[in-house]
Amino acid sequence: MQLTIGKELNANDKIYKPDFNSKSGRELLAFYLQTKFRQIFVYDKKQENPILNGVNPTFVDRFSKRLINNPTKRLLIGVTGESASGKSTICREIKSVIEQFSMPVTVLSTDNYFNDISELINKYGSFDNLTDNGYDVDAPSSFQLDILREDLEDLSEGLDIKAPMYLPNGTGVSVPKAFDVKSQKIIVVEGIATMYDAVKDIFDIKIYVETENELRKNRFMDRAVEERNQSVENAQKHWDYITQAGEKYVKPFRKEADLVINGNSDLKYFAQMLEHIYEITNNYEQAP
């Protein structure tokens, strides 16, 4: 079935398959992708509910050069945004669409890289008491960014890793090298820490997900009360904190993102766009 986007943008137009082992072949691919990506951005802008709230003007050229200069390196996509913006939902959709085309993909959350704060929690009696006494859980210093950086560098070079696991049970325990992460062709990393200074430059594509505050608050409160059994009062306190933390630590990186995505976008349309991107990057015929 040909997608609506594909019909609009002539997805059936084919080019002769370039020789990806030659620089000239990769340059041809880069030029072709530059043209097609710009067509996609223009198409999306015309929609009643566009997915893209912003595109960095340097992204297309920069990404094309990345394909030319290092075509064998794993593709790292960083997805960030404030709490309850829809980061995880967007990542699941990316993973689902990529897997439909039998392409290997890894999804990793930076939440696994929180510091072990079990001793601090024991000292103060609980996680809430610790934060009430000034512990800033979303600050860059609260993450194992050195380990995250090393792991991302290994993954980008095709090396499998063993990632830490932060236990979300209120104990503050982080288990080192807790689970295996395979270095697949495409690696999607989500979480607020993806755009912190220590790691942000490693990503080939930087995505910022944004959603209206009222919708984010409703999502957060529902999740806290219904899924995590928090009281409304406690959930409100946490919401107040993450709102302030988001303003301080997350929102400044919006201007550095390659793509700013609407976190309340139609996932069916989003999936179609991803499928169209796949089509245009695999739409070749053999030279006669």
mmCIF file of all heavy atoms in Angstrom, residues 67-112:
data_model
loop_
_atom_site.group_PDB
_atom_site.id
_atom_site.type_symbol
_atom_site.label_atom_id
_atom_site.label_comp_id
_atom_site.label_asym_id
_atom_site.label_seq_id
_atom_site.Cartn_x
_atom_site.Cartn_y
_atom_site.Cartn_z
ATOM 1 N N LEU A 67 26.832 11.090 6.791
ATOM 2 C CA LEU A 67 26.685 9.885 5.988
ATOM 3 C C LEU A 67 27.854 9.708 5.032
ATOM 4 O O LEU A 67 28.308 8.595 4.787
ATOM 5 C CB LEU A 67 25.369 9.944 5.192
ATOM 6 C CG LEU A 67 24.075 9.907 5.997
ATOM 7 C CD1 LEU A 67 22.879 10.026 5.059
ATOM 8 C CD2 LEU A 67 23.972 8.639 6.824
ATOM 9 N N ILE A 68 28.359 10.828 4.519
ATOM 10 C CA ILE A 68 29.471 10.764 3.571
ATOM 11 C C ILE A 68 30.770 10.370 4.269
ATOM 12 O O ILE A 68 31.511 9.508 3.809
ATOM 13 C CB ILE A 68 29.655 12.122 2.873
ATOM 14 C CG1 ILE A 68 28.460 12.415 1.971
ATOM 15 C CG2 ILE A 68 30.954 12.151 2.067
ATOM 16 C CD1 ILE A 68 28.461 13.815 1.416
ATOM 17 N N ASN A 69 31.047 11.008 5.403
ATOM 18 C CA ASN A 69 32.343 10.854 6.055
ATOM 19 C C ASN A 69 32.460 9.591 6.895
ATOM 20 O O ASN A 69 33.577 9.096 7.107
ATOM 21 C CB ASN A 69 32.617 12.075 6.942
ATOM 22 C CG ASN A 69 32.754 13.342 6.134
ATOM 23 O OD1 ASN A 69 33.213 13.318 4.993
ATOM 24 N ND2 ASN A 69 32.342 14.465 6.703
ATOM 25 N N ASN A 70 31.349 9.054 7.384
ATOM 26 C CA ASN A 70 31.435 7.873 8.247
ATOM 27 C C ASN A 70 30.215 6.986 8.041
ATOM 28 O O ASN A 70 29.379 6.839 8.927
ATOM 29 C CB ASN A 70 31.530 8.309 9.714
ATOM 30 C CG ASN A 70 32.197 7.255 10.576
ATOM 31 O OD1 ASN A 70 32.292 6.094 10.179
ATOM 32 N ND2 ASN A 70 32.635 7.640 11.752
ATOM 33 N N PRO A 71 30.117 6.354 6.861
ATOM 34 C CA PRO A 71 28.896 5.622 6.522
ATOM 35 C C PRO A 71 28.695 4.321 7.301
ATOM 36 O O PRO A 71 27.582 3.814 7.369
ATOM 37 C CB PRO A 71 29.079 5.337 5.023
ATOM 38 C CG PRO A 71 30.557 5.326 4.821
ATOM 39 C CD PRO A 71 31.100 6.342 5.767
ATOM 40 N N THR A 72 29.748 3.760 7.872
ATOM 41 C CA THR A 72 29.619 2.473 8.556
ATOM 42 C C THR A 72 29.312 2.604 10.044
ATOM 43 O O THR A 72 28.946 1.625 10.691
ATOM 44 C CB THR A 72 30.917 1.651 8.399
ATOM 45 O OG1 THR A 72 32.003 2.365 9.008
ATOM 46 C CG2 THR A 72 31.219 1.411 6.934
ATOM 47 N N LYS A 73 29.458 3.803 10.582
ATOM 48 C CA LYS A 73 29.223 4.002 12.010
ATOM 49 C C LYS A 73 27.756 3.830 12.342
ATOM 50 O O LYS A 73 26.878 4.163 11.550
ATOM 51 C CB LYS A 73 29.686 5.417 12.406
ATOM 52 C CG LYS A 73 29.652 5.693 13.892
ATOM 53 C CD LYS A 73 30.149 7.109 14.176
ATOM 54 C CE LYS A 73 30.076 7.435 15.652
ATOM 55 N NZ LYS A 73 30.502 8.831 15.926
ATOM 56 N N ARG A 74 27.467 3.288 13.528
ATOM 57 C CA ARG A 74 26.085 3.149 13.970
ATOM 58 C C ARG A 74 25.410 4.514 14.042
ATOM 59 O O ARG A 74 26.051 5.526 14.344
ATOM 60 C CB ARG A 74 26.030 2.491 15.344
ATOM 61 C CG ARG A 74 26.661 1.094 15.428
ATOM 62 C CD ARG A 74 25.936 0.119 14.505
ATOM 63 N NE ARG A 74 26.213 -1.259 14.862
ATOM 64 C CZ ARG A 74 27.078 -2.053 14.239
ATOM 65 N NH1 ARG A 74 27.777 -1.581 13.230
ATOM 66 N NH2 ARG A 74 27.250 -3.305 14.630
ATOM 67 N N LEU A 75 24.113 4.537 13.782
ATOM 68 C CA LEU A 75 23.348 5.782 13.817
ATOM 69 C C LEU A 75 22.760 5.974 15.207
ATOM 70 O O LEU A 75 21.938 5.179 15.662
ATOM 71 C CB LEU A 75 22.230 5.741 12.773
ATOM 72 C CG LEU A 75 21.366 6.992 12.648
ATOM 73 C CD1 LEU A 75 22.210 8.148 12.117
ATOM 74 C CD2 LEU A 75 20.188 6.730 11.716
ATOM 75 N N LEU A 76 23.188 7.038 15.892
ATOM 76 C CA LEU A 76 22.709 7.334 17.239
ATOM 77 C C LEU A 76 21.684 8.456 17.198
ATOM 78 O O LEU A 76 21.971 9.550 16.709
ATOM 79 C CB LEU A 76 23.870 7.734 18.155
ATOM 80 C CG LEU A 76 24.448 6.623 19.048
ATOM 81 C CD1 LEU A 76 25.076 5.522 18.192
ATOM 82 C CD2 LEU A 76 25.467 7.194 20.016
ATOM 83 N N ILE A 77 20.497 8.166 17.725
ATOM 84 C CA ILE A 77 19.418 9.147 17.789
ATOM 85 C C ILE A 77 19.125 9.438 19.256
ATOM 86 O O ILE A 77 18.795 8.526 20.019
ATOM 87 C CB ILE A 77 18.140 8.617 17.105
ATOM 88 C CG1 ILE A 77 18.431 8.230 15.654
ATOM 89 C CG2 ILE A 77 17.015 9.649 17.183
ATOM 90 C CD1 ILE A 77 17.270 7.544 14.957
ATOM 91 N N GLY A 78 19.268 10.687 19.667
ATOM 92 C CA GLY A 78 18.979 11.090 21.037
ATOM 93 C C GLY A 78 17.626 11.772 21.114
ATOM 94 O O GLY A 78 17.337 12.670 20.322
ATOM 95 N N VAL A 79 16.795 11.331 22.056
ATOM 96 C CA VAL A 79 15.447 11.882 22.211
ATOM 97 C C VAL A 79 15.301 12.432 23.628
ATOM 98 O O VAL A 79 15.434 11.682 24.605
ATOM 99 C CB VAL A 79 14.368 10.816 21.956
ATOM 100 C CG1 VAL A 79 12.967 11.429 22.075
ATOM 101 C CG2 VAL A 79 14.551 10.169 20.586
ATOM 102 N N THR A 80 15.046 13.725 23.729
ATOM 103 C CA THR A 80 14.886 14.335 25.042
ATOM 104 C C THR A 80 13.606 15.161 25.077
ATOM 105 O O THR A 80 12.910 15.307 24.078
ATOM 106 C CB THR A 80 16.097 15.200 25.410
ATOM 107 O OG1 THR A 80 16.062 15.508 26.807
ATOM 108 C CG2 THR A 80 16.116 16.497 24.614
ATOM 109 N N GLY A 81 13.303 15.713 26.232
ATOM 110 C CA GLY A 81 12.102 16.502 26.434
ATOM 111 C C GLY A 81 11.741 16.471 27.903
ATOM 112 O O GLY A 81 12.243 15.638 28.664
ATOM 113 N N GLU A 82 10.873 17.374 28.311
ATOM 114 C CA GLU A 82 10.485 17.412 29.712
ATOM 115 C C GLU A 82 9.662 16.185 30.087
ATOM 116 O O GLU A 82 9.148 15.471 29.212
ATOM 117 C CB GLU A 82 9.696 18.692 29.991
ATOM 118 C CG GLU A 82 10.508 19.961 29.837
ATOM 119 C CD GLU A 82 9.704 21.193 30.164
ATOM 120 O OE1 GLU A 82 9.673 21.586 31.344
ATOM 121 O OE2 GLU A 82 9.095 21.770 29.240
ATOM 122 N N SER A 83 9.525 15.954 31.376
ATOM 123 C CA SER A 83 8.794 14.789 31.855
ATOM 124 C C SER A 83 7.368 14.791 31.316
ATOM 125 O O SER A 83 6.708 15.833 31.251
ATOM 126 C CB SER A 83 8.775 14.790 33.379
ATOM 127 O OG SER A 83 8.140 13.629 33.877
ATOM 128 N N ALA A 84 6.894 13.600 30.907
ATOM 129 C CA ALA A 84 5.536 13.398 30.387
ATOM 130 C C ALA A 84 5.297 14.123 29.071
ATOM 131 O O ALA A 84 4.150 14.375 28.692
ATOM 132 C CB ALA A 84 4.487 13.810 31.416
ATOM 133 N N SER A 85 6.367 14.430 28.335
ATOM 134 C CA SER A 85 6.216 15.088 27.035
ATOM 135 C C SER A 85 5.867 14.099 25.932
ATOM 136 O O SER A 85 5.404 14.490 24.855
ATOM 137 C CB SER A 85 7.493 15.844 26.662
ATOM 138 O OG SER A 85 8.589 14.952 26.576
ATOM 139 N N GLY A 86 6.113 12.809 26.187
ATOM 140 C CA GLY A 86 5.839 11.789 25.176
ATOM 141 C C GLY A 86 7.087 11.165 24.594
ATOM 142 O O GLY A 86 7.018 10.498 23.557
ATOM 143 N N LYS A 87 8.233 11.326 25.251
ATOM 144 C CA LYS A 87 9.500 10.782 24.749
ATOM 145 C C LYS A 87 9.415 9.269 24.531
ATOM 146 O O LYS A 87 9.782 8.755 23.477
ATOM 147 C CB LYS A 87 10.644 11.073 25.735
ATOM 148 C CG LYS A 87 10.940 12.522 25.975
ATOM 149 C CD LYS A 87 12.165 12.702 26.845
ATOM 150 C CE LYS A 87 12.021 12.116 28.238
ATOM 151 N NZ LYS A 87 10.975 12.778 29.034
ATOM 152 N N SER A 88 8.949 8.558 25.564
ATOM 153 C CA SER A 88 8.915 7.094 25.486
ATOM 154 C C SER A 88 7.953 6.625 24.402
ATOM 155 O O SER A 88 8.236 5.646 23.686
ATOM 156 C CB SER A 88 8.512 6.499 26.843
ATOM 157 O OG SER A 88 9.462 6.828 27.833
ATOM 158 N N THR A 89 6.819 7.303 24.265
ATOM 159 C CA THR A 89 5.847 6.934 23.233
ATOM 160 C C THR A 89 6.443 7.113 21.840
ATOM 161 O O THR A 89 6.293 6.241 20.972
ATOM 162 C CB THR A 89 4.579 7.791 23.372
ATOM 163 O OG1 THR A 89 4.022 7.603 24.677
ATOM 164 C CG2 THR A 89 3.544 7.410 22.324
ATOM 165 N N ILE A 90 7.123 8.236 21.629
ATOM 166 C CA ILE A 90 7.768 8.486 20.342
ATOM 167 C C ILE A 90 8.824 7.424 20.061
ATOM 168 O O ILE A 90 8.921 6.899 18.942
ATOM 169 C CB ILE A 90 8.408 9.889 20.326
ATOM 170 C CG1 ILE A 90 7.326 10.981 20.352
ATOM 171 C CG2 ILE A 90 9.325 10.068 19.126
ATOM 172 C CD1 ILE A 90 6.470 11.062 19.120
ATOM 173 N N CYS A 91 9.606 7.066 21.068
ATOM 174 C CA CYS A 91 10.658 6.054 20.888
ATOM 175 C C CYS A 91 10.071 4.687 20.557
ATOM 176 O O CYS A 91 10.605 3.957 19.723
ATOM 177 C CB CYS A 91 11.521 5.966 22.143
ATOM 178 S SG CYS A 91 12.645 7.357 22.343
ATOM 179 N N ARG A 92 8.981 4.338 21.215
ATOM 180 C CA ARG A 92 8.332 3.059 20.912
ATOM 181 C C ARG A 92 7.836 3.038 19.476
ATOM 182 O O ARG A 92 7.931 2.010 18.790
ATOM 183 C CB ARG A 92 7.168 2.807 21.876
ATOM 184 C CG ARG A 92 7.600 2.363 23.259
ATOM 185 C CD ARG A 92 6.434 1.787 24.046
ATOM 186 N NE ARG A 92 5.375 2.754 24.278
ATOM 187 C CZ ARG A 92 5.312 3.550 25.341
ATOM 188 N NH1 ARG A 92 6.259 3.502 26.255
ATOM 189 N NH2 ARG A 92 4.309 4.395 25.484
ATOM 190 N N GLU A 93 7.323 4.154 19.009
ATOM 191 C CA GLU A 93 6.833 4.207 17.625
ATOM 192 C C GLU A 93 7.992 4.105 16.646
ATOM 193 O O GLU A 93 7.900 3.416 15.625
ATOM 194 C CB GLU A 93 6.050 5.498 17.405
ATOM 195 C CG GLU A 93 5.225 5.508 16.127
ATOM 196 C CD GLU A 93 4.120 4.453 16.132
ATOM 197 O OE1 GLU A 93 3.624 4.096 17.226
ATOM 198 O OE2 GLU A 93 3.765 3.983 15.037
ATOM 199 N N ILE A 94 9.095 4.798 16.931
ATOM 200 C CA ILE A 94 10.283 4.689 16.082
ATOM 201 C C ILE A 94 10.748 3.243 16.007
ATOM 202 O O ILE A 94 11.013 2.700 14.926
ATOM 203 C CB ILE A 94 11.418 5.587 16.617
ATOM 204 C CG1 ILE A 94 11.033 7.070 16.464
ATOM 205 C CG2 ILE A 94 12.727 5.303 15.879
ATOM 206 C CD1 ILE A 94 12.024 8.018 17.130
ATOM 207 N N LYS A 95 10.841 2.591 17.163
ATOM 208 C CA LYS A 95 11.288 1.194 17.226
ATOM 209 C C LYS A 95 10.335 0.289 16.448
ATOM 210 O O LYS A 95 10.764 -0.587 15.670
ATOM 211 C CB LYS A 95 11.383 0.736 18.674
ATOM 212 C CG LYS A 95 11.935 -0.674 18.871
ATOM 213 C CD LYS A 95 12.116 -0.963 20.355
ATOM 214 C CE LYS A 95 12.837 -2.290 20.586
ATOM 215 N NZ LYS A 95 12.019 -3.452 20.205
ATOM 216 N N SER A 96 9.034 0.490 16.630
ATOM 217 C CA SER A 96 8.041 -0.351 15.964
ATOM 218 C C SER A 96 8.136 -0.250 14.451
ATOM 219 O O SER A 96 8.122 -1.261 13.742
ATOM 220 C CB SER A 96 6.638 0.047 16.434
ATOM 221 O OG SER A 96 5.644 -0.659 15.719
ATOM 222 N N VAL A 97 8.255 0.977 13.948
ATOM 223 C CA VAL A 97 8.321 1.170 12.500
ATOM 224 C C VAL A 97 9.610 0.595 11.934
ATOM 225 O O VAL A 97 9.605 -0.084 10.900
ATOM 226 C CB VAL A 97 8.184 2.664 12.148
ATOM 227 C CG1 VAL A 97 8.475 2.903 10.670
ATOM 228 C CG2 VAL A 97 6.792 3.166 12.496
ATOM 229 N N ILE A 98 10.716 0.834 12.612
ATOM 230 C CA ILE A 98 12.000 0.320 12.125
ATOM 231 C C ILE A 98 11.977 -1.203 12.066
ATOM 232 O O ILE A 98 12.447 -1.820 11.096
ATOM 233 C CB ILE A 98 13.153 0.809 13.028
ATOM 234 C CG1 ILE A 98 13.348 2.321 12.857
ATOM 235 C CG2 ILE A 98 14.456 0.088 12.689
ATOM 236 C CD1 ILE A 98 14.336 2.922 13.827
ATOM 237 N N GLU A 99 11.402 -1.837 13.091
ATOM 238 C CA GLU A 99 11.358 -3.298 13.134
ATOM 239 C C GLU A 99 10.462 -3.881 12.048
ATOM 240 O O GLU A 99 10.668 -5.021 11.611
ATOM 241 C CB GLU A 99 10.907 -3.771 14.513
ATOM 242 C CG GLU A 99 11.962 -3.571 15.591
ATOM 243 C CD GLU A 99 11.502 -4.010 16.967
ATOM 244 O OE1 GLU A 99 10.264 -4.088 17.198
ATOM 245 O OE2 GLU A 99 12.372 -4.281 17.814
ATOM 246 N N GLN A 100 9.470 -3.114 11.590
ATOM 247 C CA GLN A 100 8.606 -3.587 10.511
ATOM 248 C C GLN A 100 9.402 -3.876 9.251
ATOM 249 O O GLN A 100 9.017 -4.715 8.438
ATOM 250 C CB GLN A 100 7.523 -2.550 10.205
ATOM 251 C CG GLN A 100 6.422 -2.444 11.241
ATOM 252 C CD GLN A 100 5.417 -1.366 10.878
ATOM 253 O OE1 GLN A 100 5.229 -1.062 9.697
ATOM 254 N NE2 GLN A 100 4.793 -0.777 11.880
ATOM 255 N N PHE A 101 10.508 -3.174 9.081
ATOM 256 C CA PHE A 101 11.338 -3.347 7.899
ATOM 257 C C PHE A 101 12.549 -4.236 8.177
ATOM 258 O O PHE A 101 13.526 -4.222 7.430
ATOM 259 C CB PHE A 101 11.785 -1.979 7.387
ATOM 260 C CG PHE A 101 10.653 -1.106 6.930
ATOM 261 C CD1 PHE A 101 10.181 -0.094 7.726
ATOM 262 C CD2 PHE A 101 10.034 -1.340 5.714
ATOM 263 C CE1 PHE A 101 9.119 0.702 7.321
ATOM 264 C CE2 PHE A 101 8.970 -0.559 5.297
ATOM 265 C CZ PHE A 101 8.508 0.460 6.107
ATOM 266 N N SER A 102 12.440 -5.013 9.267
ATOM 267 C CA SER A 102 13.492 -5.981 9.626
ATOM 268 C C SER A 102 14.851 -5.315 9.806
ATOM 269 O O SER A 102 15.898 -5.905 9.494
ATOM 270 C CB SER A 102 13.584 -7.086 8.561
ATOM 271 O OG SER A 102 12.353 -7.753 8.450
ATOM 272 N N MET A 103 14.832 -4.065 10.285
ATOM 273 C CA MET A 103 16.074 -3.368 10.572
ATOM 274 C C MET A 103 16.357 -3.447 12.067
ATOM 275 O O MET A 103 15.469 -3.207 12.886
ATOM 276 C CB MET A 103 15.985 -1.904 10.136
ATOM 277 C CG MET A 103 15.839 -1.723 8.645
ATOM 278 S SD MET A 103 15.679 0.030 8.185
ATOM 279 C CE MET A 103 17.287 0.656 8.659
ATOM 280 N N PRO A 104 17.567 -3.829 12.440
ATOM 281 C CA PRO A 104 17.893 -3.962 13.866
ATOM 282 C C PRO A 104 17.969 -2.609 14.564
ATOM 283 O O PRO A 104 18.571 -1.668 14.050
ATOM 284 C CB PRO A 104 19.257 -4.650 13.856
ATOM 285 C CG PRO A 104 19.849 -4.311 12.528
ATOM 286 C CD PRO A 104 18.697 -4.186 11.570
ATOM 287 N N VAL A 105 17.338 -2.487 15.720
ATOM 288 C CA VAL A 105 17.313 -1.230 16.458
ATOM 289 C C VAL A 105 17.443 -1.509 17.947
ATOM 290 O O VAL A 105 16.917 -2.494 18.461
ATOM 291 C CB VAL A 105 16.009 -0.443 16.167
ATOM 292 C CG1 VAL A 105 14.779 -1.266 16.493
ATOM 293 C CG2 VAL A 105 15.978 0.875 16.910
ATOM 294 N N THR A 106 18.181 -0.656 18.634
ATOM 295 C CA THR A 106 18.347 -0.723 20.089
ATOM 296 C C THR A 106 17.737 0.522 20.698
ATOM 297 O O THR A 106 17.934 1.628 20.184
ATOM 298 C CB THR A 106 19.847 -0.792 20.457
ATOM 299 O OG1 THR A 106 20.390 -2.025 19.989
ATOM 300 C CG2 THR A 106 20.043 -0.705 21.966
ATOM 301 N N VAL A 107 16.992 0.365 21.788
ATOM 302 C CA VAL A 107 16.458 1.502 22.532
ATOM 303 C C VAL A 107 17.017 1.451 23.945
ATOM 304 O O VAL A 107 16.937 0.426 24.626
ATOM 305 C CB VAL A 107 14.914 1.489 22.574
ATOM 306 C CG1 VAL A 107 14.405 2.648 23.426
ATOM 307 C CG2 VAL A 107 14.339 1.585 21.164
ATOM 308 N N LEU A 108 17.615 2.558 24.381
ATOM 309 C CA LEU A 108 18.250 2.646 25.695
ATOM 310 C C LEU A 108 17.754 3.897 26.407
ATOM 311 O O LEU A 108 17.664 4.960 25.803
ATOM 312 C CB LEU A 108 19.771 2.702 25.535
ATOM 313 C CG LEU A 108 20.622 2.826 26.800
ATOM 314 C CD1 LEU A 108 20.491 1.580 27.672
ATOM 315 C CD2 LEU A 108 22.090 3.063 26.436
ATOM 316 N N SER A 109 17.432 3.774 27.698
ATOM 317 C CA SER A 109 16.983 4.921 28.485
ATOM 318 C C SER A 109 18.117 5.427 29.373
ATOM 319 O O SER A 109 18.793 4.638 30.048
ATOM 320 C CB SER A 109 15.785 4.544 29.363
ATOM 321 O OG SER A 109 15.466 5.604 30.245
ATOM 322 N N THR A 110 18.295 6.748 29.398
ATOM 323 C CA THR A 110 19.323 7.311 30.275
ATOM 324 C C THR A 110 18.926 7.239 31.744
ATOM 325 O O THR A 110 19.758 7.477 32.616
ATOM 326 C CB THR A 110 19.617 8.782 29.911
ATOM 327 O OG1 THR A 110 18.426 9.569 30.069
ATOM 328 C CG2 THR A 110 20.114 8.896 28.478
ATOM 329 N N ASP A 111 17.658 6.902 32.036
ATOM 330 C CA ASP A 111 17.247 6.721 33.431
ATOM 331 C C ASP A 111 18.039 5.603 34.112
ATOM 332 O O ASP A 111 18.137 5.564 35.341
ATOM 333 C CB ASP A 111 15.751 6.403 33.527
ATOM 334 C CG ASP A 111 14.883 7.615 33.249
ATOM 335 O OD1 ASP A 111 15.441 8.712 33.017
ATOM 336 O OD2 ASP A 111 13.645 7.475 33.248
ATOM 337 N N ASN A 112 18.603 4.703 33.312
ATOM 338 C CA ASN A 112 19.431 3.638 33.873
ATOM 339 C C ASN A 112 20.745 4.171 34.447
ATOM 340 O O ASN A 112 21.442 3.443 35.157
ATOM 341 C CB ASN A 112 19.751 2.595 32.800
ATOM 342 C CG ASN A 112 18.539 1.784 32.391
ATOM 343 O OD1 ASN A 112 17.903 1.153 33.229
ATOM 344 N ND2 ASN A 112 18.199 1.816 31.115
#
